[in-house]
Amino acid sequence: MRIPKEENTEKKILAAAREVFHRKGFEGARMQEIADLAGVNKALLHYYYRDKQKLFHAVFRETFPAMIREMTVIFSTDEPLETKISNFFNRHISFLQQNSYIPYFIISSLQQNHQELPEMLKNANPSPYALIRKQLDQEQRSGITEEDFIQFYLNLLSLSVFPFLAKPLIANIFDLNDEDYQSLMEKRKKVLPELLIKSIPKK
Amino acid sequence: MRIPKEENTEKKILAAAREVFHRKGFEGARMQEIADLAGVNKALLHYYYRDKQKLFHAVFRETFPAMIREMTVIFSTDEPLETKISNFFNRHISFLQQNSYIPYFIISSLQQNHQELPEMLKNANPSPYALIRKQLDQEQRSGITEEDFIQFYLNLLSLSVFPFLAKPLIANIFDLNDEDYQSLMEKRKKVLPELLIKSIPKK
DNA sequence: TTACGATTTAACCATTTGATTAAACCATCT
DNA sequence: AGATGGTTTAATCAAATGGTTAAATCGTAA
């Protein structure tokens, strides 16, 4: 058994693949570009991951659950609702600031017919839907319907995720540089809780 | 001069290209698929549009302004603010219901380095930014800063557009079929104005 | 009808790109 | 040292894909 190199090659490849797939999606990514970024011969990608699909899946299997976890972390604590929402935006936007390509990666992956991914949702642990049902039941006191809840959840995600998808467009319209945009997102952590909390029906 | 066929071939090609590029983006689209969908030999695409880039641009040049128009139509009337917002969501969501692939198309186009598109923004008529500045000046009475306004505008777009980008994900989490989703968006036309109007600082 | 130019097609070309192979490399063990 | 087996590379392949070309087709006008 050979001792692994200082920087495990397999992981270097995965990291490079993550980088490239996140930015360009499956169709836009090139095996050669991934190899170059990993500083490694192209044949090594196949040696470790067999083919492009499998390499992509390796990336997807670590990124998708991370995103789901971020999307559902709001249901994991027992804080008062207002605190929960506030915490959610703070944490979620921070996560997106440091992983700003993930939303595009997820959206573009699911847009293409990369199925067998509904599969991953069911296997997700914790299951988003289970968490959401539980949360919903707890809110029954205020007579919130399932549809109200879905709308609320859609709002939550829309407000936090969309600005990272539309950054190229928005930054251009308003002539914002990266720093401007960063500070816009920073302020958003405070603005969004206020906005969303107002929208909740008082019990 | 030849009389155009019953169904102008050039337009049939453009329509097919629109369909395919909208669903799959530039990288995912295949010239052969476009030709097949148009019911036409592949060489004809090159005859009319020279190469893939130019064909893509032909699509982009009609889709992008349509989306910008939809995004800025809110600034074009002189209704009271509440009416304006309500009208915007109604119209914008209806537009998205009938053009549900446009948001993904725009996002994926701008994500790839398809530059020279900042160019298109400036040439856009009416210019989004000019309209927005004008609107902003009118609101000065309530002391709204430019940053407040950008946040507001981001909210407006996030809430209406994101659900169409994330449909594959959301529909899976909540096990919604197309009809369910449609009715969800329908109700959104009423829910969103209430939500956003509450967020506006009273003068 | 014939000639002409615009339109359309089938066949082909060149490049890109994902994938394979055979050989080289190198650390460890005997 | 020499054998062994995992790792890496250079060279090559085959399929996919964007693009080209030369000939066929078709409507129109002379």
Side-chain angles (χ1 to χ4, degrees):
Chain A
M1 182 73 77
R2 185 178 175 177
I3 289 176
K5 301 277 283 280
E6 348 94 69
E7 293 290 341
N8 189 324
T9 309
E10 187 170 352
K11 282 181 184 167
K12 260 194 333 197
I13 291 175
L14 187 61
R18 190 186 305 128
E19 198 74 8
V20 174
F21 279 129
H22 279 192
R23 280 181 160 72
K24 316 214 165 167
F26 180 80
E27 297 281 357
R30 295 289 166 259
M31 295 297 270
Q32 187 60 59
E33 187 180 354
I34 294 172
D36 291 347
L37 187 60
V40 123
N41 188 290
K42 186 162 65 88
L44 269 192
L45 310 197
H46 294 94
Y47 176 75
Y48 282 108
Y49 293 94
R50 198 144 194 101
D51 61 29
K52 191 183 181 184
Q53 278 288 345
K54 300 228 172 48
L55 179 54
F56 175 83
H57 264 78
V59 171
F60 193 86
R61 267 196 301 272
E62 62 169 28
T63 300
F64 187 67
M67 187 68 195
I68 292 292
R69 212 174 309 125
E70 279 303 316
M71 285 169 51
T72 50
V73 69
I74 186 175
F75 306 119
S76 64
T77 68
D78 257 338
E79 315 276 353
L81 186 55
E82 301 195 358
T83 314
K84 236 185 224 173
I85 293 177
S86 183
N87 286 347
F88 171 80
F89 281 123
N90 264 291
R91 169 170 170 160
H92 194 48
I93 290 178
S94 291
F95 171 78
L96 293 172
Q97 283 176 311
Q98 279 159 28
N99 300 273
S100 53
Y101 287 103
I102 289 187
Y104 176 73
F105 172 73
I106 301 290
I107 295 298
S108 75
S109 298
L110 299 186
Q111 170 80 7
Q112 316 309 339
N113 260 1
H114 286 252
Q115 40 248 81
E116 91 253 32
L117 308 184
E119 193 64 21
M120 293 196 66
L121 264 180
K122 283 176 188 157
N123 298 342
N125 198 346
S127 145
Y129 191 65
L131 279 177
I132 291 167
R133 283 302 318 175
K134 183 176 148 222
Q135 181 73 24
L136 187 53
D137 290 341
Q138 287 175 4
E139 302 298 337
Q140 278 306 357
R141 48 185 169 88
S142 43
I144 294 177
T145 68
E146 171 153 7
E147 178 166 341
D148 288 342
F149 190 80
I150 296 180
Q151 295 283 3
F152 170 79
Y153 192 57
L154 259 183
N155 296 342
L156 199 76
L157 294 180
S158 300
L159 291 165
S160 50
V161 178
F162 180 80
F164 291 89
L165 290 166
K167 179 179 169 187
L169 181 60
I170 301 294
N172 245 288
I173 291 182
F174 293 105
D175 194 27
L176 306 172
N177 61 31
D178 278 1
E179 194 187 349
D180 296 334
Y181 214 80
Q182 192 77 355
S183 100
L184 207 63
M185 293 306 107
E186 209 55 50
K187 195 160 289 180
R188 228 164 151 65
K189 294 177 186 173
K190 292 175 188 167
V191 173
L192 292 186
E194 296 169 17
L195 165 57
L196 209 52
I197 286 169
K198 277 191 202 145
S199 81
I200 296 171
K202 298 285 177 294
K203 56 178 164 178
Chain B
M1 183 72 78
R2 185 178 176 177
I3 289 176
K5 301 277 283 282
E6 349 93 68
E7 293 291 342
N8 189 323
T9 308
E10 186 170 352
K11 283 182 182 164
K12 259 192 336 196
I13 292 176
L14 187 61
R18 190 187 304 128
E19 198 74 9
V20 175
F21 279 128
H22 279 193
R23 281 182 160 72
K24 316 215 167 164
F26 181 81
E27 296 282 358
R30 295 286 165 261
M31 295 295 271
Q32 186 61 58
E33 187 181 355
I34 294 172
D36 291 347
L37 187 60
V40 125
N41 187 291
K42 184 163 67 87
L44 268 192
L45 310 198
H46 294 94
Y47 177 75
Y48 283 108
Y49 294 94
R50 197 144 195 99
D51 61 28
K52 191 182 182 185
Q53 278 287 347
K54 299 226 173 48
L55 180 53
F56 175 83
H57 264 78
V59 172
F60 193 86
R61 268 196 301 273
E62 62 169 28
T63 300
F64 187 67
M67 187 68 195
I68 292 290
R69 213 175 308 126
E70 278 304 315
M71 284 168 52
T72 51
V73 69
I74 186 174
F75 307 118
S76 64
T77 70
D78 257 338
E79 315 275 354
L81 186 54
E82 300 195 359
T83 314
K84 236 184 224 173
I85 293 177
S86 183
N87 286 348
F88 171 79
F89 281 124
N90 264 291
R91 169 171 169 160
H92 195 49
I93 291 178
S94 291
F95 171 79
L96 294 172
Q97 283 176 311
Q98 280 161 27
N99 301 274
S100 53
Y101 287 103
I102 288 188
Y104 175 74
F105 172 73
I106 300 289
I107 294 297
S108 75
S109 298
L110 299 186
Q111 170 79 12
Q112 317 310 336
N113 261 2
H114 286 253
Q115 40 249 76
E116 90 253 34
L117 308 184
E119 194 63 22
M120 294 197 65
L121 263 180
K122 282 176 188 158
N123 298 342
N125 198 346
S127 144
Y129 190 65
L131 280 176
I132 290 167
R133 282 302 319 175
K134 183 177 148 221
Q135 181 73 25
L136 187 52
D137 291 341
Q138 287 176 5
E139 301 299 338
Q140 278 306 357
R141 50 185 168 87
S142 43
I144 294 176
T145 68
E146 171 152 7
E147 178 165 343
D148 287 342
F149 189 80
I150 296 179
Q151 295 285 1
F152 170 79
Y153 192 57
L154 258 182
N155 296 341
L156 198 77
L157 293 180
S158 300
L159 290 165
S160 50
V161 178
F162 179 81
F164 290 88
L165 289 166
K167 178 179 169 187
L169 180 61
I170 301 295
N172 244 289
I173 291 182
F174 293 105
D175 194 28
L176 306 172
N177 61 32
D178 278 1
E179 193 187 349
D180 296 334
Y181 214 78
Q182 191 76 355
S183 98
L184 207 63
M185 293 306 107
E186 210 54 52
K187 196 159 291 178
R188 230 165 149 65
K189 294 177 187 173
K190 293 176 187 167
V191 173
L192 291 186
E194 295 169 17
L195 165 57
L196 209 52
I197 286 169
K198 277 191 202 144
S199 81
I200 297 171
K202 299 285 179 292
K203 55 176 166 177

